[in-house]
Amino acid sequence: MEKIGVPNCPKTKGYVVTIVENKAIDLYRRRKRRQALELDDDACGIQVVYEGENTLTACILKLPARYREAILLRYVQGYSVKEMASILGLSFAAASKLDQRAKARLKDLYEKEGKL
């Protein structure tokens, strides 16, 4: 608000239009990144569809539920760590650590599966 000197100035209108355009683009990209789904009270967690012989998918399915949910929220659904923390009801630091541990566990599982 400090940048706005005179409210009825053409520069002010251009500044506000630029802000609104950028926010609209941000919202569009965020909605485009995630599929909009209707909320279902009976649904619990994230559904995983296992199709074919895919080692990575098999390893994700072997993860504990909490790690699996973190991986799917972060890398399949495209949420940021901050958004993931909000969804899971965690602090940012806890969500970041959960993401780190889930990736490490997935890496270990994948390396073991690759050697079999």
Side-chain angles (χ1 to χ4, degrees):
M1 292 303 293
E2 292 82 28
K3 292 184 179 182
I4 299 175
V6 180
N8 291 330
C9 174
K11 280 186 165 183
T12 304
K13 290 179 184 179
Y15 181 67
V16 171
V17 167
T18 302
I19 291 171
V20 171
E21 285 177 351
N22 289 338
K23 281 296 183 183
I25 290 169
D26 290 345
L27 286 171
Y28 172 76
R29 287 180 180 156
R30 193 173 300 133
R31 288 181 183 161
K32 185 178 175 185
R33 184 173 37 169
R34 290 183 221 107
Q35 297 175 353
L37 300 174
E38 291 185 24
L39 295 177
D40 185 9
D41 292 336
D42 297 332
C44 182
I46 299 173
Q47 294 180 345
V48 180
V49 179
Y50 179 69
E51 295 177 356
E53 296 294 324
N54 187 339
T55 307
L56 182 60
T57 305
C59 291
I60 290 172
L61 290 172
K62 289 180 183 178
L63 287 173
R66 189 160 181 84
Y67 290 163
R68 184 175 54 242
E69 189 170 25
I71 291 289
L72 293 175
L73 283 172
R74 182 85 167 99
Y75 301 102
V76 176
Q77 299 292 328
Y79 288 101
S80 68
V81 175
K82 186 176 179 180
E83 293 169 326
M84 185 177 76
S86 175
I87 291 169
L88 297 176
L90 301 171
S91 68
F92 178 80
S96 180
K97 195 64 172 176
L98 177 66
D99 180 45
Q100 182 183 9
R101 288 178 179 161
K103 286 189 293 187
R105 178 77 62 93
L106 181 59
K107 180 183 174 191
D108 291 342
L109 282 173
Y110 190 79
E111 288 174 351
K112 288 178 186 176
E113 289 290 322
K115 293 178 182 178
L116 293 177

